[in-house]
Amino acid sequence: MSKIIALANQKGGVGKTTTAINLSASLAVLDQKILLIDIDPQANATSGTGFDPKSIDKSIYECLIDGVNPREAIVQTSTKGLHLLPSHIDLVGAEIEMLSMENRETILKRILQDVKEEYDYILIDCSPSLGLLTLNALTAADSVAIPVQCEYFALEGLGKLLNTIQMIQRGLNPELEIEGFVLTMYDSRLRLSNHVVAEVRQHFEAMVFETIIQRNVKLSEAPSYGKPVIMYDVHSKGAVNYLNLAKELLIRNQPKEEQEEDEKQDN
C-alpha cells in the first residue's frame, strides 16, 4: 500500500528540503520505491537531486496548470529506486493561475491518483508558506511530517501550521494525520539545542521521531554536488541520521501484527 507524506513548515530554514531529499534517498536505499515531488518554486529539491531546474522540460507546474500526465514529467534520479517530479521557476505564478480553477485545492490529489500505487512512498517537499500549493500537498497527503529546528524560535509558527492542518482535517482531507515531528540541526554542544529537544518532546510526546538530525558538514555540502548525503558520504553523521529516520518511519508504518512480531523477536 502506498503512502503520501507531505513535509511542511511555513518557517523557512528548518531543514525541510534537506529532510525531503535525504529521507527519500534513504528509503530508496532500504529497497522502497520512492517518488519525491518538489512543489516549492525555489526548486531546491530538484537541484539537490542533480537536476538543473532551468533546463527541466516538464515539471509539476505543467501537471498542475496544463493537465500534463505526471508520468511525462517524472525523472529517475542517480539514486536507484528514487524518482523525482521536479519543480520549475514557473511554479512561482502557479498559485495565481490556480485561483480560477475548479476544485483548486484538490488538483494535486487528482494528479497523483494515477501514479500513487506505483510507489511505496511519495514525499512532497512543500514551499515555506501556507499558500495554495501547500494546501494542495496537505489535501493530497495521507500524513504530514514537520521538521523542527533545534534553535531558539523552534516552536514559533507551529501553532499556525497545526491550525491549518486541523482546518484541512475538518474539510478537505479528514484522513490527514501527523506523521511526526523531525528534530533537525541539533548540536549536542549547545545547551539551547538540548532545551529545544526537551520542550518539543514535552509538547508533542510520542509524535516526535526518536531520531534526531544533527548538524553535519557533509549534509550541508551534498546539495552543491546534486546528491543526497547517503550518495555523497555514506559514513557521515548526516547519512547515518537519515538512514535511521527512514528505518524508524518504516517501523511506524508496519502493520500492527508485524510490529508485535518484531518486538517478540527483540525480546
Side-chain angles (χ1 to χ4, degrees):
M1 192 186 79
S2 180
K3 186 169 193 181
I4 301 175
I5 303 174
L7 285 103
N9 192 329
Q10 81 275 20
K11 193 172 184 301
V14 299
K16 180 181 52 59
T17 299
T18 300
T19 297
I21 292 170
N22 292 296
L23 180 55
S24 296
S26 297
L27 286 166
V29 165
L30 294 170
D31 294 325
Q32 303 295 303
K33 193 169 183 196
I34 307 298
L35 174 62
L36 172 59
I37 299 176
D38 188 355
I39 203 167
D40 183 352
Q42 294 176 75
N44 290 334
T46 300
S47 58
T49 46
F51 297 91
D52 178 2
K54 291 174 188 167
S55 63
I56 292 289
D57 184 30
K58 286 181 179 144
S59 68
I60 187 68
Y61 172 82
E62 282 75 21
C63 298
L64 291 168
I65 304 302
D66 302 326
V68 166
N69 189 308
R71 288 188 187 88
E72 294 179 39
I74 290 169
V75 290
Q76 168 69 56
T77 71
S78 57
T79 306
K80 186 186 172 188
L82 175 58
H83 290 172
L84 172 76
L85 181 46
S87 180
H88 190 274
I89 190 66
D90 288 347
L91 201 57
V92 156
E95 291 196 342
I96 295 164
E97 293 176 75
M98 288 163 75
L99 284 173
S100 59
M101 295 170 81
E102 201 175 331
N103 298 319
R104 59 191 181 218
E105 299 90 354
T106 59
I107 299 168
L108 183 61
K109 185 174 186 173
R110 297 197 300 273
I111 287 167
L112 295 182
Q113 276 171 352
D114 259 6
V115 296
K116 182 178 178 180
E117 294 308 321
E118 294 173 22
Y119 297 94
D120 295 306
Y121 289 91
I122 297 175
L123 274 69
I124 309 173
D125 183 32
C126 299
S127 59
S129 73
L130 295 177
L132 198 47
L133 290 172
T134 298
L135 208 59
N136 261 265
L138 294 174
T139 303
D142 298 302
S143 66
V144 53
I146 304 167
V148 180
Q149 84 280 35
C150 297
E151 291 180 0
Y152 185 67
F153 292 114
L155 299 178
E156 188 185 71
L158 271 188
K160 195 173 179 186
L161 176 61
L162 294 172
N163 286 340
T164 301
I165 291 168
Q166 284 169 2
M167 179 192 78
I168 289 166
Q169 287 168 331
R170 284 194 299 269
L172 294 164
N173 186 1
E175 307 299 314
L176 183 66
E177 296 178 343
I178 294 178
E179 189 70 39
F181 294 83
V182 182
L183 290 159
T184 63
M185 303 180 184
Y186 175 74
D187 188 337
S188 59
R189 298 167 301 177
L190 300 178
R191 188 185 300 169
L192 178 62
S193 279
N194 292 302
H195 174 71
V196 170
V197 169
E199 196 172 349
V200 173
R201 288 203 191 284
Q202 186 184 336
H203 267 77
F204 300 109
E205 299 173 336
M207 291 166 76
V208 184
F209 282 95
E210 286 296 321
T211 306
I212 296 176
I213 310 302
Q214 295 165 280
R215 281 196 179 276
N216 178 242
V217 172
K218 300 292 183 185
L219 202 51
S220 303
E221 288 175 355
S224 63
Y225 291 88
K227 291 180 180 180
V229 70
I230 202 161
M231 295 296 157
Y232 178 61
D233 186 346
V234 69
H235 301 295
S236 69
K237 203 174 279 184
V240 171
N241 286 168
Y242 275 109
L243 198 56
N244 287 338
L245 181 65
K247 288 175 183 174
E248 191 179 343
L249 180 76
L250 291 177
I251 290 167
R252 281 187 177 210
N253 284 281
Q254 267 182 340
K256 277 208 164 56
E257 310 82 65
E258 286 181 34
Q259 283 187 34
E260 286 164 8
E261 191 57 38
D262 286 349
E263 281 167 16
K264 278 181 198 169
Q265 287 174 5
D266 289 344
N267 295 333

